[in-house]
Amino acid sequence: MRKIILRIFSNVYVKGTRNYINSQKKYELIRTFIFFFIPLSLFIAGYVTTKTKMNLLTIVAVVGLLPACKSLVGLIMFLKHHSLSQENAEKIDATKHEFPQLFDMVFTTYDKTHVVSHMVIVGNTVCGFSEDKNFKEKEFNTHIQNVLKTDGFKNISVKIFTDINKYTERLEQLKDLEIDEKVNILGIMDTFRSVAL
């Protein structure tokens, strides 16, 4: 049993890596199952030993449902989305770019969820691709610019494409871009990871 659990959790990807959403779905599903199983088993154990629901283990089981419900909410959030498709990933790989990149970034606002399947940071330019054809770029830009300004990053241009061919063309163009070495690319990536699902 221990080997199975270690194998499952060793396949969990770090936020921003390829197939993060798909691996996170499996992780959240297993975690949610375990989190519900423990309170249920405590409740059953208390009922079997005392022959009544009015016991201390029932209280512990009810309190134990709080993290289980939180885990269920996380599972539902991940089930609504999917990782970058293999076909589009291969097209992006074909550009042979060496830019810092993030995959499967899900940004939430009060009104909308924005899924950016792939993004690169080149100097003060953030360029991304979303498989969501109804992606609201203007709303996303307003949100992400506010997030970047809050963390002290100014004059960062953000462009998200919904057409894979136009995106790969832009990646090719970015290879010729002069990069401003003063821009903290790792800091920008950490900001994106911290605000993404």
Side-chain angles (χ1 to χ4, degrees):
M1 180 71 170
R2 183 171 179 245
K3 286 182 182 180
I4 293 170
I5 291 172
L6 287 174
R7 189 169 151 220
I8 290 166
F9 289 108
S10 68
N11 290 332
V12 174
Y13 292 62
V14 176
K15 190 187 293 187
T17 56
R18 186 177 287 180
N19 291 321
Y20 168 70
I21 292 176
N22 290 344
S23 73
Q24 198 68 14
K25 284 179 191 177
K26 295 173 191 170
Y27 167 74
E28 292 288 341
L29 180 65
I30 292 164
R31 187 174 82 160
T32 301
F33 174 78
I34 292 169
F35 280 13
F36 274 103
F37 177 77
I38 293 170
L40 183 63
S41 61
L42 287 173
F43 175 76
I44 292 170
Y47 187 76
V48 167
T49 55
T50 63
K51 306 288 188 245
T52 179
K53 293 185 279 187
M54 308 299 261
N55 60 63
L56 188 59
L57 285 179
T58 299
I59 296 170
V60 173
V62 169
V63 172
L65 286 174
L66 294 173
C69 292
K70 182 181 178 194
S71 183
L72 180 62
V73 169
L75 173 64
I76 291 167
M77 289 295 292
F78 279 103
L79 287 175
K80 293 168 62 177
H81 308 293
H82 58 83
S83 291
L84 177 66
S85 69
Q86 185 64 29
E87 178 187 354
N88 288 331
E90 288 171 4
K91 287 180 181 178
I92 291 167
D93 288 342
T95 64
K96 295 186 169 46
H97 72 85
E98 296 181 5
F99 306 128
Q101 60 186 342
L102 294 168
F103 291 87
D104 299 344
M105 302 301 286
V106 180
F107 301 97
T108 56
T109 65
Y110 291 114
D111 304 322
K112 184 134 179 69
T113 300
H114 306 277
V115 181
V116 181
S117 305
H118 183 262
M119 60 193 325
V120 295
I121 297 100
V122 185
N124 64 345
T125 301
V126 175
C127 189
F129 168 69
S130 177
E131 291 181 315
D132 178 8
K133 297 299 179 192
N134 298 319
F135 189 84
K136 306 285 187 205
E137 185 176 8
K138 188 175 178 182
E139 292 174 20
F140 174 74
N141 281 348
T142 302
H143 169 67
I144 212 66
Q145 290 292 350
N146 289 337
V147 169
L148 289 168
K149 284 177 188 169
T150 301
D151 276 10
F153 299 106
K154 295 178 182 162
N155 302 322
I156 306 291
S157 67
V158 179
K159 174 67 179 162
I160 306 297
F161 294 85
T162 56
D163 182 323
I164 188 66
N165 296 322
K166 288 181 181 175
Y167 180 59
T168 53
E169 281 175 27
R170 183 63 179 141
L171 288 177
E172 293 291 350
Q173 293 168 358
L174 287 173
K175 291 179 184 177
D176 301 326
L177 188 70
E178 283 190 34
I179 299 172
D180 183 357
E181 300 292 336
K182 296 175 188 171
V183 176
N184 182 359
I185 291 173
L186 294 177
I188 293 170
M189 292 175 75
D190 286 341
T191 295
F192 287 153
R193 283 192 194 101
S194 69
V195 298
L197 184 64

